[in-house]
Amino acid sequence: MAKTAALLLARLIFAGAFLMATGFKFMGMDATAGDIASAGFPAPLFLAWVAAFFQLGLGLAFLTGAFFSEAAIVAGIYVIFLAFTFHGPALWESNQAEFGFFVDHFVFLAGLLFAAVHGPGEKLALGWRLPWKGFGGASVSR
């Protein structure tokens, strides 16, 4: 029972983080595009919309347990991309808090990797997967 509760809580936390980020993007798409433009990317408004829908998909995957391990891996790659792009070493000298934000992304990555290996659990999880063995053939449910 405790394992099930912990897995469901972890899924809710992951889903909440990505769905809140999605909501902030939809409520302030121009601000998100401005952040993307300040990092030097072309077509910032288009990329802001892509990021919003991408994060929506991740949030739904964590919430439902569908493609859970795959979503956790993709989310981990995305989180590290964000760490280097928006909180990387070039920003540390001018704002030491950026280093903390940078490190926090790696803590998030650790949780995502753990989630990817262990899956969404057996309860309240759709259990859909891509047809690949992944992490040593670990099954979705335990």
Side-chain angles (χ1 to χ4, degrees), residues 54-79:
F54 178 70
Q55 289 179 326
L56 176 63
L58 290 174
L60 292 174
F62 290 124
L63 195 61
T64 65
F67 306 105
F68 182 86
S69 293
E70 296 87 346
I73 291 297
V74 172
I77 294 166
Y78 180 65
V79 163

Side-chain angles (χ1 to χ4, degrees), residues 13-127:
I13 291 169
F14 284 135
F18 284 105
L19 293 175
M20 284 185 354
T22 300
F24 290 137
K25 282 179 178 50
F26 284 132
M27 290 186 299
M29 197 57 71
D30 289 334
T32 300
D35 290 342
I36 293 170
S38 72
F41 289 99
L45 186 58
F46 171 74
L47 291 176
W49 281 100
V50 169
F53 282 106
F54 178 70
Q55 289 179 326
L56 176 63
L58 290 174
L60 292 174
F62 290 124
L63 195 61
T64 65
F67 306 105
F68 182 86
S69 293
E70 296 87 346
I73 291 297
V74 172
I77 294 166
Y78 180 65
V79 163
I80 296 308
F81 165 76
L82 295 176
F84 280 98
T85 302
F86 296 102
H87 306 289
L91 302 171
W92 299 348
E93 188 174 324
S94 63
N95 184 354
Q96 291 182 354
E98 291 294 341
F99 177 74
F101 299 141
F102 180 78
V103 171
D104 287 346
H105 283 71
F106 285 87
V107 175
F108 197 7
L109 172 65
L112 289 165
L113 291 173
F114 196 86
V117 170
H118 291 282
E122 296 175 353
K123 305 293 184 203
L124 299 174
L126 292 176

